[in-house]
Amino acid sequence: MKSLWDDNEAKQYEGDLGLRVYTSRLLGRDTSLVLHGGGNTSVKIKQTNLVGEEEDLLCVKGSGWDLESIDVPGFPAVKLDHLIKLAKLESLSDPQMVNELRAHMTNAGAPTPSVEAILHATLPYKYVDHTHADAVVTVTNTPNGLDKIKQIYGDTVVIVPYIMPGFDLARLCAIEFERQRNDHTIGMVLMNHGIFSFGDTARESYERMVRLVGMAEDYIQEHGTWTLDYDSPAQGTVDPLALAQLRRDISKAAGFPLVLRSQRDAKAMSFINRSDMAKISQQGPATPDHVIRTKRLPLVGRDVKKYVADYKTYFEQYAPQARDPKTMLDPAPRVILDRELGMVTAGKSAKEAKIVADIYDHTMDIIVRAELLGGWQALSAKDLFDMEYWDLEQAKLRKGGKPPLFQGEVALVTGAASGIGRACVESMLARGAAVIALDVDPGIETLFDRSDVTGIQCDVADESQLKAALKQGASSFGGLDMLVLNAGVFPGGCRIDSLSSEEWRRVMNINLDANLILMREAYPYLKLAPKGGRVVAMGSKNFLAPGPGAVAYSASKAALTQITRVAALEWGVDNIRINTLHPDCVFDTGIWTDEVLAARARHYGLTVDEYKTKNVLKTEVTSHDVAELTAELCGPLFAKTTAAQLPIDGGNERVI
Ligand code: ZN
């Protein structure tokens, strides 16, 4: 482990707090030190308040900030004297502690200071750094971990036995620090939890962290191994239908839909294929705060019912008698280890599933290294229960307000690179869905550039491409809940007497056949959708009120509408709803260039603005309008509507 300190970089940060930001980010850059919100840092500064008094303040990481990207506002300032007085109390409940922290900040709008703020305050150093470094939790989670830590560090660190984070831990650390400190003290190890380093400058504190963690890594390398080899090769594509079945079971257990993510690289497959996997994976997480994201244990195999039953037993065993059974968290697993499906993680969003995957990715290495050091030995179930059901964590879970409409759900949109399709992707994302975005334009693969969109180039007219895209999409999020049949072509201006058979077949292929194929192939997934499958087809005003010169287009949309009506009859029993929109006058799409618009307006003897609003309501219909209605059709407002056809055209006299 090397220091990442760089004088040139450091120059860009000003003052004590600036350098605190810099070295916090250095810690955050290394995922073996700090992973997704783990760890915290602080600096003690002096500041003159509004009435001219100089105050000692602790600037400590605030909740909601990650060290990797933290900035000055991520360090709320708390009055240091008060924190030191609090540390001397015999007891303080955690909600009281949080209230004291918030009530003694200098900026009422700042984020809540870390629950480890009092601990930071009691350490008599300007800079304090805290991580849950992989190497340290590896060593402490083995038999005789305490002796090993003593062997590694001698008297350079204070050692604190495990107790839960919060006020009691801060108090115990203050007592142990006073008792064990000496002239060589540069850090503090919290058994089964992590490590602190401290110093007079940002660089000193940071580099002591690097040095201390490096010593643990060296110890692991000497007594086992730090660099791991993987015996099983990475596996190719996952069976998306098997994954979707698992997702249905897990979502049912949770009581709400979850997105799944499968990882089948050499590391995951080697861990899963170990003969002792069922034993070593069933102890607990690497550090207690992971329990919130990963649950205490992964599910081995796919028997979700048994996992739920075991979770209930665990809850009943450790929950205090008075605890209301309604306070049990959802009993669904978040990490699943399966020989076929790989390391599968579940989350309320693609981002959350990825965070869980990152955590378990590190956990697998930690467990394997600890096994080589004499055996992986996690905290007791009771300790982990106390963490999982900690007041402060529960309060965090309860916050957050109403979840997004499509949280944990997956939508597939065709023709997603532009116009109505692109707007549909945005409307689905705005409601919390993950989206599989298909388009013939290769730009689709990078257009959205976010973890909750899988962009796939696909010519819907090619059946094998379409099938492959659906499989790839369903694999990336664990299934499919909503299907938006949007891709289509409008080759206007050709009368029946001059329409070639090729052109007729081309239009029918894209506008009709592709949708039938996609519906047929998507059906097994839609049937497994935790909240029921939904399909929205883009019909057209032309179905209800055709014009001359577009027979292939109008006929294809009429036939598509008929397909949706038949599908509604056939699939209602599977709780799949299918509805059709008939848009018109949507001019902000690719086919409507300024020239085409001007030409059409001239044809009718209208200005472009008059042409755009030539409907009963005299209004312009945008792609966004159509997309919002598409999304709402998939939502609870239309939960009892299927086979409906809705015009979205500003009112058309011929349709009315
Ligand atoms: Zn910690």
Side-chain angles (χ1 to χ4, degrees), residues 116 130 132 193:
E116 277 154 353
H130 169 50
H132 305 147
H193 172 160

